[in-house]
Amino acid sequence: HGEIMNHIEDVIQHIKEQSPNVSPKKLRYLLYLLYADYLTITEDGYDELFTSEFYVEYNGPMPLGYTSEFVLYDTDGDSNRLDDGFKEYVNDALFNYRMYSENFLERMSNQSLDYVTTKKHCRDHIKIIPKELIYLNQEYNRIVYECFEGK
């Protein structure tokens, strides 16, 4: 698209400003879920919320370059670098996820098709979750919802 890509640090900063009580664990899974949701919001797909990949960590997806949710939480970013439309998207998403516990978000993340499949099939030392699988998981969830729950 040629648009400026957001950095995960700036998104983290914005989330912490919007939700001052967010725990490191909840922040970690929110980042993954927001990233996954954002991939499927446009027709052509694969729009990235920020320029980070996720890898398979023991408890669930973790942004590449981070070893723990505490390191992730303590990162320094500048939310002023994000444009307003983008901030609005994040705010709406935070509002939608606000009532879920961190443990529920963790389960949503580590039971996802993309996480489970990458964990099982990837032979690399650091198992990067392919964007295509994250996208597929979103589509899978949408179909399940429409066929069984949305009625």
Side-chain angles (χ1 to χ4, degrees):
H1 284 288
E3 58 202 54
I4 302 151
M5 285 297 291
N6 298 306
H7 295 286
I8 193 169
E9 295 79 13
D10 299 340
V11 178
I12 289 169
Q13 188 58 39
H14 182 69
I15 292 173
K16 290 196 296 190
E17 286 163 10
Q18 295 302 307
S19 310
N21 299 327
V22 72
S23 67
K25 183 174 175 178
K26 189 165 188 177
L27 175 74
R28 167 191 177 169
Y29 294 113
L30 280 170
L31 285 165
Y32 166 75
L33 293 165
L34 266 59
Y35 179 89
D37 292 343
Y38 197 73
L39 277 181
T40 51
I41 62 168
T42 54
E43 281 303 308
D44 53 354
Y46 296 131
D47 272 359
E48 289 182 273
L49 193 61
F50 43 73
T51 56
S52 289
E53 294 179 291
F54 289 86
Y55 71 96
V56 171
E57 196 264 348
Y58 180 70
N59 296 312
M62 176 73 83
L64 197 59
Y66 292 92
T67 47
S68 82
E69 48 215 33
F70 302 103
V71 178
L72 193 63
Y73 187 87
D74 288 339
T75 183
D76 281 322
D78 180 0
S79 61
N80 293 319
R81 285 193 287 243
L82 307 173
D83 76 55
D84 290 342
F86 182 80
K87 285 180 181 173
E88 212 170 292
Y89 168 80
V90 173
N91 296 350
D92 290 347
L94 290 176
F95 184 77
N96 293 334
Y97 282 115
R98 77 195 180 290
M99 69 278 272
Y100 299 115
S101 71
E102 57 181 30
N103 290 335
F104 181 77
L105 297 183
E106 180 178 49
R107 276 198 309 280
M108 269 179 82
S109 303
N110 66 26
Q111 291 174 7
S112 68
L113 200 64
D114 47 295
Y115 176 79
V116 172
T117 306
T118 304
K119 191 175 181 177
K120 182 177 169 189
H121 293 285
C122 183
R123 305 235 186 291
D124 298 334
H125 176 59
I126 295 172
K127 300 176 189 298
I128 306 281
I129 302 171
K131 221 171 22 176
E132 294 80 2
L133 276 180
I134 298 177
Y135 186 89
L136 185 68
N137 178 62
Q138 294 298 102
E139 286 296 289
Y140 169 80
N141 288 342
R142 185 183 58 77
I143 293 165
V144 168
Y145 179 80
E146 283 176 5
C147 293
F148 305 115
E149 291 162 37
K151 292 198 159 135

